[in-house]
Coordinates of all heavy atoms in Angstrom, one line a residue:
V1 N -0.4 8.4 3.1 CA 0.6 7.5 3.6 C 1.6 8.2 4.5 O 2.0 9.3 4.2 CB 1.4 6.8 2.4 CG1 2.5 5.9 3.0 CG2 0.5 6.1 1.5
E2 N 1.9 7.6 5.7 CA 2.7 8.3 6.6 C 3.8 7.3 7.1 O 3.6 6.5 7.9 CB 1.9 8.7 7.9 CG 0.8 9.6 7.6 CD 0.0 9.9 8.9 OE1 0.5 9.6 10.0 OE2 -1.0 10.5 8.8
P3 N 5.1 7.4 6.6 CA 6.2 6.7 7.1 C 6.7 7.4 8.3 O 6.9 8.6 8.3 CB 7.2 6.6 6.0 CG 7.0 7.8 5.2 CD 5.5 8.1 5.4
A4 N 6.9 6.8 9.4 CA 7.5 7.4 10.6 C 6.7 8.6 11.1 O 7.3 9.6 11.6 CB 9.0 7.8 10.4
G5 N 5.4 8.6 10.9 CA 4.5 9.6 11.4 C 4.5 10.9 10.6 O 3.8 11.8 10.9
Q6 N 5.2 11.0 9.4 CA 5.2 12.1 8.6 C 4.4 11.9 7.3 O 4.8 11.0 6.6 CB 6.7 12.5 8.3 CG 6.7 13.7 7.4 CD 8.2 14.1 7.1 OE1 9.1 13.4 7.5 NE2 8.4 15.2 6.4
R7 N 3.4 12.7 7.0 CA 2.6 12.5 5.8 C 3.4 12.7 4.6 O 4.1 13.8 4.5 CB 1.4 13.4 5.8 CG 0.5 13.1 4.6 CD -0.8 13.8 4.8 NE -1.7 13.3 5.8 CZ -2.5 12.3 5.7 NH1 -2.6 11.7 4.5 NH2 -3.2 11.9 6.7
I8 N 3.5 11.8 3.7 CA 4.3 12.0 2.4 C 3.4 12.1 1.2 O 3.9 12.5 0.1 CB 5.2 10.8 2.2 CG1 4.5 9.5 2.1 CG2 6.3 10.8 3.3 CD1 5.3 8.4 1.5
G9 N 2.1 11.9 1.3 CA 1.3 12.1 0.2 C -0.1 11.4 0.3 O -0.3 10.6 1.2
T10 N -0.9 11.6 -0.8 CA -2.2 11.0 -0.8 C -2.4 10.5 -2.3 O -1.7 10.9 -3.2 CB -3.3 11.9 -0.5 OG1 -3.3 13.0 -1.4 CG2 -3.2 12.5 0.9
A11 N -3.3 9.6 -2.4 CA -3.7 9.0 -3.8 C -5.1 8.6 -3.8 O -5.6 8.0 -2.8 CB -2.7 7.9 -4.1
E12 N -5.7 8.8 -4.9 CA -7.1 8.2 -5.2 C -6.8 6.8 -5.6 O -5.9 6.5 -6.4 CB -7.8 9.0 -6.3 CG -8.2 10.4 -5.9 CD -9.4 10.3 -4.9 OE1 -10.3 9.4 -5.1 OE2 -9.5 11.1 -4.0
V13 N -7.7 5.9 -5.1 CA -7.6 4.5 -5.5 C -8.7 4.1 -6.5 O -9.9 4.1 -6.0 CB -7.6 3.5 -4.3 CG1 -7.4 2.1 -4.8 CG2 -6.5 3.9 -3.3
P14 N -8.4 3.9 -7.8 CA -9.5 3.6 -8.7 C -10.1 2.2 -8.4 O -9.5 1.4 -7.8 CB -8.8 3.5 -10.1 CG -7.5 4.2 -9.9 CD -7.1 4.0 -8.4
P15 N -11.4 2.0 -8.7 CA -12.0 0.7 -8.5 C -11.2 -0.4 -9.1 O -10.6 -0.3 -10.2 CB -13.3 0.9 -9.2 CG -13.6 2.3 -9.3 CD -12.2 3.0 -9.4
G16 N -11.1 -1.5 -8.4 CA -10.3 -2.6 -8.8 C -8.8 -2.6 -8.6 O -8.1 -3.6 -8.8
K17 N -8.3 -1.5 -8.1 CA -6.9 -1.3 -7.8 C -6.6 -1.5 -6.3 O -7.5 -1.3 -5.5 CB -6.4 0.0 -8.3 CG -6.5 0.3 -9.8 CD -5.5 -0.7 -10.5 CE -5.6 -0.4 -12.0 NZ -4.8 -1.3 -12.8
T18 N -5.4 -1.9 -6.0 CA -5.0 -2.0 -4.6 C -4.4 -0.7 -4.1 O -4.1 0.2 -4.9 CB -3.9 -3.1 -4.4 OG1 -2.7 -2.7 -5.1 CG2 -4.4 -4.4 -5.0
L19 N -4.3 -0.6 -2.8 CA -3.6 0.6 -2.2 C -2.2 0.7 -2.8 O -1.8 1.8 -3.1 CB -3.5 0.4 -0.7 CG -4.8 0.4 0.1 CD1 -4.6 0.2 1.6 CD2 -5.6 1.7 -0.1
L20 N -1.5 -0.4 -2.8 CA -0.1 -0.3 -3.4 C 0.0 0.2 -4.8 O 0.8 1.1 -5.1 CB 0.6 -1.7 -3.3 CG 2.1 -1.7 -3.8 CD1 2.9 -0.8 -2.9 CD2 2.6 -3.1 -3.8
E21 N -0.9 -0.3 -5.7 CA -0.9 0.1 -7.1 C -1.2 1.7 -7.1 O -0.5 2.4 -7.9 CB -2.0 -0.6 -7.8 CG -1.6 -2.1 -8.1 CD -2.8 -2.9 -8.6 OE1 -4.0 -2.6 -8.3 OE2 -2.5 -3.8 -9.4
A22 N -2.1 2.1 -6.4 CA -2.5 3.6 -6.4 C -1.3 4.4 -5.8 O -1.0 5.5 -6.4 CB -3.8 3.8 -5.6
W23 N -0.8 4.0 -4.7 CA 0.3 4.7 -4.1 C 1.5 4.8 -5.0 O 2.2 5.8 -5.2 CB 0.7 4.2 -2.7 CG -0.4 4.3 -1.7 CD1 -1.5 5.2 -1.8 CD2 -0.6 3.6 -0.5 NE1 -2.3 5.0 -0.7 CE2 -1.8 4.1 0.1 CE3 0.2 2.6 0.1 CZ2 -2.2 3.6 1.3 CZ3 -0.3 2.1 1.3 CH2 -1.4 2.6 1.9
L24 N 1.9 3.7 -5.7 CA 3.0 3.7 -6.6 C 2.7 4.6 -7.8 O 3.6 5.3 -8.2 CB 3.4 2.3 -7.0 CG 4.0 1.4 -5.9 CD1 4.2 0.0 -6.5 CD2 5.3 2.0 -5.4
A25 N 1.5 4.5 -8.3 CA 1.1 5.3 -9.5 C 1.2 6.8 -9.1 O 1.5 7.7 -10.0 CB -0.3 5.0 -10.0
A26 N 1.0 7.2 -7.9 CA 1.0 8.6 -7.4 C 2.5 9.0 -7.1 O 2.7 10.1 -6.7 CB 0.2 8.8 -6.2
G27 N 3.4 8.1 -7.2 CA 4.8 8.4 -7.0 C 5.3 8.3 -5.5 O 6.3 8.8 -5.2
L28 N 4.4 7.7 -4.7 CA 4.8 7.6 -3.3 C 5.8 6.4 -3.1 O 5.7 5.4 -3.7 CB 3.5 7.3 -2.4 CG 2.5 8.4 -2.6 CD1 1.2 8.0 -1.8 CD2 3.0 9.7 -2.1
P29 N 6.8 6.7 -2.3 CA 7.9 5.7 -2.1 C 7.5 4.5 -1.1 O 7.9 4.5 0.0 CB 9.0 6.5 -1.5 CG 8.3 7.6 -0.7 CD 7.1 7.9 -1.5
M30 N 6.8 3.6 -1.7 CA 6.3 2.5 -0.9 C 7.2 1.3 -1.0 O 7.6 0.9 -2.1 CB 4.9 2.0 -1.3 CG 3.8 3.0 -0.9 SD 3.6 3.0 0.9 CE 3.3 1.3 1.3
P31 N 7.6 0.6 0.1 CA 8.3 -0.6 0.1 C 7.4 -1.8 -0.4 O 6.3 -1.8 0.0 CB 8.8 -0.8 1.5 CG 7.8 -0.1 2.3 CD 7.3 1.0 1.5
Y32 N 8.0 -2.6 -1.2 CA 7.2 -3.8 -1.6 C 8.2 -4.8 -2.3 O 9.3 -4.4 -2.7 CB 6.1 -3.5 -2.6 CG 6.5 -3.1 -4.0 CD1 6.4 -4.0 -5.0 CD2 6.9 -1.8 -4.3 CE1 6.8 -3.7 -6.3 CE2 7.3 -1.4 -5.5 CZ 7.2 -2.4 -6.5 OH 7.6 -2.0 -7.8
S33 N 7.8 -6.0 -2.5 CA 8.7 -7.0 -3.1 C 7.8 -7.9 -4.0 O 7.9 -7.7 -5.2 CB 9.4 -7.8 -2.1 OG 10.3 -8.7 -2.7
C34 N 7.0 -8.8 -3.5 CA 6.3 -9.8 -4.3 C 5.1 -9.2 -4.9 O 4.7 -9.7 -6.0 CB 6.0 -11.0 -3.5 SG 4.6 -10.8 -2.3
A35 N 4.4 -8.3 -4.3 CA 3.2 -7.7 -4.8 C 2.0 -8.7 -4.9 O 1.1 -8.5 -5.7 CB 3.4 -6.9 -6.1
M36 N 2.1 -9.8 -4.1 CA 1.1 -10.8 -4.2 C 0.6 -11.3 -2.8 O -0.1 -12.2 -2.7 CB 1.7 -12.1 -4.9 CG 2.0 -11.9 -6.3 SD 2.9 -13.2 -7.1 CE 2.4 -14.7 -6.3
G37 N 1.0 -10.5 -1.8 CA 0.6 -10.9 -0.4 C 1.4 -11.9 0.3 O 1.0 -12.4 1.4
N38 N 2.5 -12.3 -0.3 CA 3.3 -13.4 0.3 C 4.5 -12.9 1.3 O 4.7 -13.6 2.2 CB 3.9 -14.3 -0.8 CG 2.9 -15.1 -1.5 OD1 1.9 -15.5 -0.9 ND2 3.1 -15.3 -2.8
C39 N 5.1 -11.8 0.9 CA 6.3 -11.4 1.7 C 6.0 -10.5 2.9 O 6.8 -10.5 3.8 CB 7.3 -10.8 0.8 SG 6.9 -9.1 0.2
G40 N 5.0 -9.7 2.9 CA 4.7 -8.8 4.0 C 5.5 -7.5 3.9 O 5.4 -6.6 4.8
E41 N 6.3 -7.3 2.9 CA 7.1 -6.0 2.8 C 6.3 -4.8 2.7 O 6.7 -3.7 3.2 CB 8.0 -6.1 1.6 CG 9.1 -5.1 1.5 CD 10.1 -5.1 2.6 OE1 10.3 -6.2 3.2 OE2 10.7 -4.1 2.9
C42 N 5.1 -4.8 2.2 CA 4.2 -3.7 2.0 C 3.2 -3.5 3.1 O 2.2 -2.8 3.0 CB 3.5 -3.8 0.7 SG 2.3 -5.1 0.6
R43 N 3.5 -4.1 4.3 CA 2.5 -4.0 5.4 C 2.4 -2.6 5.9 O 3.4 -1.9 6.1 CB 3.0 -4.9 6.5 CG 2.0 -5.0 7.7 CD 2.5 -5.9 8.7 NE 3.5 -5.2 9.6 CZ 3.9 -5.5 10.8 NH1 3.4 -6.7 11.3 NH2 4.8 -4.8 11.4
V44 N 1.2 -2.1 6.1 CA 0.9 -0.8 6.6 C -0.1 -0.9 7.7 O -0.9 -1.9 7.7 CB 0.4 0.2 5.6 CG1 1.5 0.4 4.5 CG2 -0.9 -0.3 4.9
K45 N -0.1 0.0 8.6 CA -1.2 0.0 9.7 C -2.2 1.1 9.3 O -1.9 2.2 9.1 CB -0.5 0.4 11.0 CG -1.6 0.3 12.1 CD -0.9 0.3 13.5 CE -1.9 0.0 14.5 NZ -1.3 -0.4 15.7
L46 N -3.5 0.6 9.2 CA -4.5 1.5 8.8 C -4.8 2.4 10.1 O -5.0 1.8 11.2 CB -5.8 0.7 8.5 CG -5.9 0.2 7.1 CD1 -7.3 -0.3 6.8 CD2 -5.5 1.2 6.0
T47 N -4.9 3.7 9.9 CA -5.3 4.6 10.9 C -6.7 5.1 10.7 O -7.3 5.7 11.6 CB -4.3 5.7 11.0 OG1 -4.3 6.4 9.8 CG2 -2.9 5.3 11.4
R48 N -7.3 4.8 9.5 CA -8.6 5.2 9.3 C -9.1 4.4 8.1 O -8.4 4.1 7.1 CB -8.7 6.7 8.9 CG -10.1 7.2 8.5 CD -10.1 8.7 8.3 NE -9.4 9.0 7.1 CZ -9.9 9.5 5.9 NH1 -11.2 9.7 5.9 NH2 -9.2 9.8 4.9
G49 N -10.4 4.0 8.1 CA -11.0 3.3 7.0 C -11.0 1.8 7.0 O -10.6 1.2 8.0
E50 N -11.6 1.2 6.0 CA -11.7 -0.2 5.9 C -11.2 -0.7 4.5 O -11.4 0.0 3.5 CB -13.2 -0.6 6.0 CG -13.8 -0.4 7.4 CD -15.2 -0.8 7.5 OE1 -15.6 -1.6 6.7 OE2 -15.9 -0.3 8.4
V51 N -10.7 -1.9 4.5 CA -10.2 -2.5 3.2 C -10.7 -3.9 3.2 O -11.0 -4.5 4.2 CB -8.7 -2.4 3.0 CG1 -8.2 -1.0 3.0 CG2 -8.0 -3.3 4.1
E52 N -10.7 -4.5 2.0 CA -10.9 -5.9 1.8 C -9.6 -6.5 1.3 O -9.1 -5.9 0.3 CB -12.1 -6.1 0.8 CG -12.4 -7.6 0.6 CD -13.6 -7.8 -0.3 OE1 -14.5 -7.0 -0.2 OE2 -13.5 -8.7 -1.2
L53 N -9.2 -7.6 1.9 CA -7.9 -8.2 1.5 C -8.1 -9.4 0.6 O -9.0 -10.2 0.9 CB -7.1 -8.6 2.7 CG -6.6 -7.6 3.6 CD1 -5.9 -8.2 4.8 CD2 -5.7 -6.6 3.0
D54 N -7.4 -9.5 -0.5 CA -7.4 -10.7 -1.3 C -6.8 -11.8 -0.5 O -5.9 -11.6 0.3 CB -6.5 -10.5 -2.6 CG -7.1 -9.5 -3.6 OD1 -8.3 -9.2 -3.5 OD2 -6.3 -9.0 -4.4
E55 N -7.3 -13.0 -0.7 CA -6.9 -14.2 0.1 C -6.4 -15.2 -1.0 O -6.9 -15.2 -2.1 CB -8.0 -14.8 0.9 CG -8.6 -13.9 1.9 CD -7.7 -13.6 3.1 OE1 -6.7 -14.3 3.3 OE2 -8.0 -12.7 3.9
P56 N -5.4 -16.0 -0.6 CA -4.7 -16.1 0.7 C -3.6 -15.0 0.7 O -3.2 -14.5 -0.4 CB -4.1 -17.5 0.7 CG -3.8 -17.8 -0.7 CD -5.0 -17.1 -1.5
N57 N -3.1 -14.6 1.9 CA -2.0 -13.7 2.1 C -1.3 -14.1 3.4 O -1.8 -14.9 4.1 CB -2.5 -12.3 2.0 CG -3.4 -11.9 3.1 OD1 -3.0 -12.0 4.3 ND2 -4.6 -11.6 2.8
S58 N -0.2 -13.5 3.6 CA 0.7 -13.8 4.7 C 0.4 -13.1 6.0 O 1.1 -13.3 7.0 CB 2.1 -13.6 4.4 OG 2.4 -12.3 4.1
L59 N -0.6 -12.2 6.0 CA -0.9 -11.5 7.2 C -1.5 -12.4 8.3 O -2.4 -13.2 8.0 CB -2.0 -10.4 6.9 CG -2.1 -9.3 7.9 CD1 -0.8 -8.5 8.2 CD2 -3.2 -8.3 7.5
T60 N -1.0 -12.3 9.5 CA -1.4 -13.2 10.6 C -2.7 -12.6 11.2 O -3.0 -11.5 11.1 CB -0.3 -13.3 11.7 OG1 -0.2 -12.0 12.3 CG2 1.0 -13.8 11.1
K61 N -3.4 -13.5 12.0 CA -4.5 -13.0 12.8 C -4.2 -11.9 13.7 O -4.9 -10.9 13.9 CB -5.1 -14.2 13.6 CG -5.9 -15.2 12.8 CD -6.5 -16.2 13.7 CE -7.2 -17.3 12.9 NZ -7.8 -18.3 13.8
E62 N -3.0 -12.0 14.3 CA -2.5 -11.0 15.3 C -2.3 -9.7 14.5 O -2.7 -8.6 15.1 CB -1.2 -11.4 16.0 CG -1.4 -12.6 16.9 CD -1.4 -14.0 16.2 OE1 -1.0 -14.0 15.0 OE2 -1.8 -15.0 16.8
G63 N -1.7 -9.7 13.4 CA -1.5 -8.5 12.6 C -2.8 -7.9 12.2 O -2.9 -6.6 12.3
R64 N -3.7 -8.7 11.8 CA -5.1 -8.1 11.4 C -5.7 -7.4 12.6 O -6.3 -6.3 12.5 CB -6.0 -9.2 10.9 CG -5.6 -9.7 9.5 CD -6.5 -10.9 9.2 NE -5.9 -11.7 8.1 CZ -6.3 -11.8 6.9 NH1 -7.4 -11.2 6.6 NH2 -5.7 -12.5 6.0
A65 N -5.6 -8.1 13.8 CA -6.2 -7.6 15.0 C -5.6 -6.2 15.4 O -6.2 -5.4 16.0 CB -6.1 -8.6 16.1
Q66 N -4.3 -6.1 15.1 CA -3.6 -4.8 15.4 C -3.8 -3.7 14.4 O -3.3 -2.6 14.5 CB -2.1 -5.1 15.6 CG -1.8 -6.0 16.8 CD -0.4 -6.5 16.8 OE1 0.4 -6.1 15.9 NE2 0.0 -7.3 17.8
G67 N -4.6 -4.0 13.3 CA -4.9 -3.0 12.3 C -4.0 -3.0 11.1 O -4.1 -2.0 10.3
Y68 N -3.2 -4.0 10.9 CA -2.3 -4.0 9.8 C -3.0 -4.6 8.6 O -3.8 -5.5 8.7 CB -1.0 -4.9 10.1 CG -0.1 -4.2 11.1 CD1 -0.1 -4.5 12.4 CD2 0.7 -3.1 10.7 CE1 0.8 -3.9 13.3 CE2 1.6 -2.5 11.6 CZ 1.6 -2.9 12.9 OH 2.4 -2.2 13.8
V69 N -2.5 -4.2 7.4 CA -3.0 -4.7 6.1 C -1.8 -4.8 5.2 O -0.8 -4.2 5.4 CB -4.1 -3.9 5.5 CG1 -5.3 -3.8 6.4 CG2 -3.6 -2.5 5.1
L70 N -1.9 -5.6 4.2 CA -0.9 -5.7 3.1 C -1.4 -4.8 2.0 O -2.4 -5.2 1.3 CB -0.7 -7.1 2.7 CG -0.2 -8.1 3.8 CD1 0.0 -9.5 3.2 CD2 1.1 -7.6 4.4
A71 N -0.7 -3.8 1.7 CA -1.1 -2.8 0.7 C -1.3 -3.4 -0.7 O -2.1 -3.0 -1.5 CB -0.2 -1.6 0.6
C72 N -0.5 -4.5 -1.0 CA -0.5 -5.1 -2.4 C -1.8 -5.9 -2.6 O -2.1 -6.2 -3.8 CB 0.7 -5.9 -2.6 SG 0.8 -7.5 -1.6
V73 N -2.5 -6.3 -1.6 CA -3.8 -7.0 -1.7 C -4.9 -6.3 -1.1 O -6.0 -7.0 -0.9 CB -3.6 -8.5 -1.2 CG1 -2.6 -9.2 -2.1 CG2 -3.2 -8.5 0.2
A74 N -4.8 -5.1 -0.7 CA -5.8 -4.3 0.0 C -6.6 -3.4 -1.0 O -6.1 -2.6 -1.6 CB -5.2 -3.5 1.1
H75 N -7.9 -3.7 -1.0 CA -8.8 -2.9 -1.8 C -9.7 -2.0 -0.8 O -10.4 -2.6 0.0 CB -9.7 -3.8 -2.7 CG -9.0 -4.7 -3.6 ND1 -8.6 -4.3 -4.8 CD2 -8.5 -5.9 -3.4 CE1 -7.9 -5.2 -5.4 NE2 -7.8 -6.3 -4.6
P76 N -9.6 -0.7 -0.9 CA -10.4 0.1 0.0 C -11.9 0.0 -0.1 O -12.4 -0.1 -1.3 CB -9.9 1.5 -0.3 CG -9.3 1.5 -1.7 CD -8.9 0.1 -1.9
R77 N -12.6 0.0 1.0 CA -14.0 0.0 1.0 C -14.5 1.4 1.5 O -15.7 1.6 1.6 CB -14.5 -1.1 1.9 CG -14.2 -2.5 1.4 CD -14.9 -2.7 0.0 NE -14.5 -3.9 -0.6 CZ -14.1 -4.0 -1.9 NH1 -14.1 -2.9 -2.6 NH2 -13.7 -5.1 -2.4
S78 N -13.6 2.2 1.9 CA -13.9 3.6 2.4 C -12.6 4.4 2.3 O -11.6 3.8 1.9 CB -14.4 3.5 3.8 OG -13.4 3.1 4.7
A79 N -12.7 5.7 2.6 CA -11.5 6.5 2.6 C -10.5 5.9 3.7 O -11.0 5.5 4.7 CB -11.8 7.9 2.9
T80 N -9.3 5.8 3.3 CA -8.3 5.2 4.2 C -7.1 6.1 4.4 O -6.7 6.9 3.6 CB -7.8 3.8 3.7 OG1 -7.2 4.0 2.5 CG2 -8.9 2.8 3.6
D81 N -6.5 5.9 5.6 CA -5.1 6.5 5.9 C -4.3 5.3 6.4 O -4.8 4.4 7.1 CB -5.2 7.6 7.0 CG -5.8 8.9 6.5 OD1 -5.6 9.2 5.3 OD2 -6.5 9.5 7.2
G82 N -3.0 5.4 6.1 CA -2.2 4.3 6.6 C -0.8 4.8 7.0 O -0.3 5.8 6.4
R83 N -0.1 4.1 7.9 CA 1.3 4.3 8.2 C 2.1 3.2 7.8 O 1.9 2.1 8.1 CB 1.4 4.5 9.7 CG 0.7 5.7 10.3 CD 1.3 6.1 11.6 NE 0.9 7.4 11.9 CZ 0.1 7.7 13.0 NH1 -0.1 6.7 13.9 NH2 -0.3 8.9 13.2
A84 N 3.1 3.6 7.0 CA 4.1 2.6 6.4 C 5.2 2.3 7.4 O 5.5 3.2 8.3 CB 4.6 3.0 5.1
R85 N 5.8 1.2 7.4 CA 6.9 0.9 8.3 C 8.2 1.0 7.5 O 8.2 1.1 6.3 CB 6.7 -0.5 8.9 CG 6.8 -1.6 7.9 CD 6.5 -2.9 8.6 NE 6.4 -3.9 7.6 CZ 7.2 -5.0 7.6 NH1 8.0 -5.2 8.5 NH2 7.1 -5.9 6.6
G86 N 9.3 0.9 8.2 CA 10.6 0.9 7.6 C 11.2 2.3 7.4 O 10.5 3.3 7.5
S87 N 12.4 2.4 7.0 CA 13.1 3.6 6.7 C 13.0 3.9 5.2 O 13.0 2.9 4.4 CB 14.5 3.6 7.2 OG 15.2 2.6 6.6
W88 N 13.0 5.1 4.8 CA 12.9 5.5 3.4 C 14.2 6.1 3.0 O 14.6 6.8 2.3 CB 11.7 6.4 3.2 CG 10.5 5.7 3.7 CD1 10.3 5.3 5.0 CD2 9.3 5.3 3.0 NE1 9.1 4.7 5.1 CE2 8.5 4.7 4.0 CE3 8.9 5.4 1.7 CZ2 7.2 4.2 3.6 CZ3 7.7 4.9 1.4 CH2 6.9 4.3 2.3

């Protein structure tokens, strides 16, 4: 996970868990609120890898096309890297 371009850590994502669940369990300071895909607070930009998103969620078509995912509903399908937004 990279907020503002600086790597802050890594985490293994167990089967059935989301990116957000794994990152929080690893102690990474991830922003989130609803944890259900509704608010968009946990939006990250994937820089590598693929995920499957639980539906429905609030991510727009434009956001998806730009490479964004919602960490709270994202299940990795390969090794992933992501950039978080916001200040920590």
Side-chain angles (χ1 to χ4, degrees):
V1 178
E2 301 177 13
Q6 180 180 5
R7 183 172 293 273
I8 60 166
T10 62
E12 288 287 322
V13 183
K17 296 294 183 182
T18 65
L19 294 176
L20 181 64
E21 290 168 329
W23 293 342
L24 291 176
L28 301 177
M30 284 297 301
Y32 72 99
S33 183
C34 74
M36 295 173 26
N38 291 328
C39 71
E41 190 67 24
C42 66
R43 187 177 79 162
V44 297
K45 184 164 189 162
L46 281 189
T47 56
R48 177 176 71 110
E50 295 180 19
V51 299
E52 181 176 318
L53 298 175
D54 293 340
E55 300 288 347
N57 63 63
S58 65
L59 195 61
T60 65
K61 284 183 184 182
E62 293 82 13
R64 290 174 198 249
Q66 294 171 0
Y68 290 101
V69 301
L70 299 178
C72 70
V73 295
H75 301 273
R77 296 294 172 231
S78 65
T80 60
D81 287 324
R83 289 203 170 120
R85 65 185 174 124
S87 60
W88 306 61

